[in-house]
Amino acid sequence: MNRMNAIWGLTLLIGPPFVHAQNAPASRSAEADPLLRLNAHYIAAPAAGQDRAAWLAALREYRANARKGLDLGIYDRPDMRWLRRVFTCHFTFMYDRSFYDPDRDEYTLDPFLDDGRKRFGGYDAVVLWQGYPRLGADPRNQYDMYRDMPGGLMRLREAVRRFHAAGVRVFIDFNPWDTGTRRESRPDEEALADLVAALDADGIFLDTMQAAPAGLRQAIDAARPGVAFVPEGHPELPQLALCGGSWAQWLDDPMPPGLLRLKWIVPAHVQFQIRRWDSSHRDEIRAAFFNGSGMMVWENVFGAYNPWSPEDAALWRKAARILRRFADHFDGDAWEPFHPTSSPELFAHRWPGTDVTLFTLRRDRVQQATQPHFIEVPSSGAGFCVDLWNGRLLEPKPVEGRSRIEVALSDGLGCIGVFHGTEPDRELREWMREQAAVQPLGSASAQAAFIGRPVGPAVPTARTASRRDPPEGMAYVPGGAFRMRIVHQRRECGCYPDPGTPPEKLKVFLWGEPHTGLIHHDVKLDLPPFFIDQAEVSNADYKRFLDAGGYRPKDASRFLAHWKDGRIPPGQEDHPVVYVDLDDARAYARWAGKRLPTEAEWQLAAQSTDGRKWPWGESFDAARCNTAGAGTLPVRSLPDGRSPYGCFHMAGNVWEWTESDYDDGHTRFTMIRGGSWFDAKTSGWYLRGGPQACNHHAKFIRLAPSLDRCATIGFRCVMDAAD
C-alpha cells in the first residue's frame, strides 16, 4: 500500500528531480562524484557530450563509497539467495475468487498458478494479503486474520506447501499501523516469528515501511532462517543490510531511463516495479527489464479490480523469460550501465557473463525509427548473436574490427545475447522458438471493460403482513419516494456503481484512489411499504430459532463464538446476536417468515423521507445512542426519540447485515449499516467503527465464515407490508 504512518517515521516515496551529486542529500547520495546526476531513486545516464569513461569510473566509485560500513552478508547467505531469482511477484488478495472458492471451500491454487503461467510466464513469489481493508471491523488483529483464514493455519500452511511444490515462494504481510485492535501477549517481532514458522513462509512484506523493525532479523532467523524482508517504501542505505529487496513503487524518474540506484549499489537487491492504479504498466515493465529487476503483479487492489491488459501481460512474459534464463547476469558487479549506442534515443545496459554477454535495450520513443539503431561490440570472442527478445538469430556486420548489431525493438524493449560458442544448441533453439511465439492472450485490451458491474442477488421474498395488524416487535415504514444519499470513503477498495451509471463513469464509483477520496451516492428510489424490526435480533431470539429449526451451518467456524457450550452468557439474552455471517442471518430470517433489509430500506427506516442524519435527529446524541465500550453491549431498551417509525433501538451497538450483497466476479462484499461499539482509532487505515450516521455505510469484503463472523455484526429483519 502507498500509505504512510507517522509513528514509523516514513517519508514520501516520490523523490526530487535529478540533481548533481554535490547537491543531493548526504544520506542518499553517499558522496558521489559531481559528474553524476541522481535523486533518491535513480541515477541518470551520462549527459550529452560527457566523457563516458570518467562517468563510469565515478559511478563505480559512488557504489564503493555507498557500501562502506554496510554488512551485505544476507545477499551471499545460501538460504537467502532465492530472492535474487524472484522477478515476478504476485500480490495475492486472498479474498479474490481466483485464490479461494467460497462455494467449494477450497484454495484454488492449481488454476491460480496455471493462469499465472499462461498470462505472465509464472509467478516466482506471492504476497498472501489478509487484513486491510477488513482490519478494524472487529477487535481481531492482523495475526488473527491469518489464523481465521478457511481451515486456519494448518490449511494455509498446506497451501504454502503447494506453492513451494510449484517453485513459488511465499511472503506474509506485516502492518505496523495495526495497534488499535487486540494486542498479542508478546512483541510483534515474536508474533511474526511464530507466524512465519507456523506457515513455513519465505518472506515478510513490510507494509508502509521503509525499514525493518529493530530485532526483527534476530527473531526471524531464530524461528526460520532464510526469510527475506521486503519493505514497501524506498529504504535508506543502512537497510540494505537487512532488506534483500524493496518495492520500486511510483519512483520518480524525471529523465528516463534511469538506473535504479539501490540495485546499482547492490545488484543482488531486487526492486519490484509497481504502479497498481495505472491502466498501462508499460513504463514499469520497461524500467524493470532494462534494470534486470522485478515486477509486482497486482490486479485485485483490496477489492477494486484493475486487471493487466493482455498486451502488457505478454510484454512482461517475454521479459520474465529472459530474466529467469539469464538470472546470474543480473545480480553481479560486472554490470556496465549505459553502453554506447548509435542513437541518443537508444539506451543499453551491458551484463557480462562467462558464456554470453547480454544487452538490455530500451527506447522510450516507440514510433518507427527513421534510421536503423545498432550497438557495437568487439569482434574477438563473439561467436553468434541472438535477438533474445524476439527469439531469432542475428547476423552482425563487421565494421573496423568490431561487430555491429542492428537492433529491432518491440514496444520500446529489446535484448541482445552475444554468445561465445559457435551456434545455438538444441535447448536454446527451443527456447528461442517459444520466445518468438509469445503473444497476448486475447486480441482486445482488458481495459475496455476493466471491471464488471457488481451484481447482487435478487431480494428474497418474505411473508406479507397487513398494516392494520403489524407483527410484534416490528415498526411500519410507509415507503414512498426518497433520495438515498451516501458519503463513502474510498479506502482503496472503492464501492458499487449507482444504478444507470454508464460504462465510462464506472471508475468514479469502483476506484479506490485516492484513499481519502469520497464517493457520493445519490439515488432516487420509490420503495413499497414494509415492516422492520424495532431492534436487532437478540441472542434469545436466535436461540429460539435454533431450538425450533435445528439449524446447523455447513461451516461452524466461529459460529456464535461468544456462547459457551451452546448457552447464552448470563445477562446477554437481550444483546444483539453476533458471530453470525450473512447466511446465518438469512437462515433466521427465512425461519421467521422475514428477510434482511436492503440498505435502501435500512436507510429509509433510519432517516425517514425528511433525511435526518441520525435516527433521532440532526446531531449525534450519545445518551440516545446507547453505545457501550470495552466490548460490552447494553440490554434492549426503548428510549424515546428514535426514528419516526419507532425502530432502531440500540443504534450503533453493532453493524447490521443487509441484503445489499454484491459479487463482481472477483470479490464478494456486503454493505453493512449502523456502526458498532468497537472503534480502532489509532490509524486511518482501519474500517472505522463507532456509531455512524444514517448516510454512512461500509463495504465489508467477505471470504468465508471463519473470517466473516464478527463480534460486531448482527442484523434485523423486514417484512413486506400490504395496506
Side-chain angles (χ1 to χ4, degrees), residues 569-584:
Q572 296 188 21
E573 290 80 5
D574 284 338
H575 291 196
V577 66
V578 289
Y579 291 107
V580 289
D581 69 3
L582 185 60
D583 289 333
D584 300 331

Side-chain angles (χ1 to χ4, degrees), residues 30 63-75 236-242 262 265-266:
R63 177 164 64 189
N65 290 334
R67 288 179 177 179
K68 288 180 179 178
L70 293 181
D71 179 1
L72 302 178
I74 62 168
Y75 298 96
E236 299 286 349
L237 296 185
Q239 283 295 312
L240 298 185
L242 296 172
L262 295 185
I265 293 170
V266 181

Side-chain angles (χ1 to χ4, degrees), residues 101-250:
D101 184 337
D103 301 320
R104 293 186 293 167
D105 182 28
E106 179 182 335
Y107 291 115
T108 53
L109 300 194
D110 289 341
F112 171 84
L113 291 172
D114 186 55
D115 177 74
R117 283 188 287 269
K118 289 178 179 177
R119 296 170 63 212
F120 300 101
Y123 304 132
D124 302 306
V126 295
V127 177
L128 296 184
W129 187 269
Q130 84 296 12
Y132 178 85
R134 276 279 306 268
L135 278 169
D138 65 1
R140 284 179 292 179
N141 63 34
Q142 58 184 304
Y143 311 109
D144 294 325
M145 301 295 275
Y146 279 114
R147 296 172 186 130
D148 288 341
M149 286 295 292
L153 293 182
M154 289 186 63
R155 273 185 67 191
L156 200 55
R157 180 186 180 119
E158 173 61 18
V160 173
R161 186 199 66 77
R162 290 168 62 190
F163 275 124
H164 287 167
V168 178
R169 298 285 185 159
V170 176
F171 286 85
I172 61 171
D173 163 54
F174 173 56
N175 308 116
W177 48 267
D178 179 23
T179 59
T181 54
R182 187 188 72 83
R183 295 298 83 210
E184 296 286 307
S185 61
R186 55 204 185 283
D188 277 334
E189 60 268 21
E190 295 179 17
L192 271 172
D194 289 347
L195 186 62
V196 163
L199 295 178
D200 274 345
D202 305 289
I204 302 174
F205 167 59
L206 304 177
D207 174 45
T208 73
M209 304 175 71
Q210 62 184 24
L216 184 61
R217 172 54 64 196
Q218 292 84 346
I220 298 299
D221 280 353
R224 177 172 162 78
V227 174
F229 301 161
V230 174
E232 176 183 5
H234 198 260
E236 299 286 349
L237 296 185
Q239 283 295 312
L240 298 185
L242 296 172
C243 301
S246 59
W247 281 18
Q249 179 172 228
W250 288 305

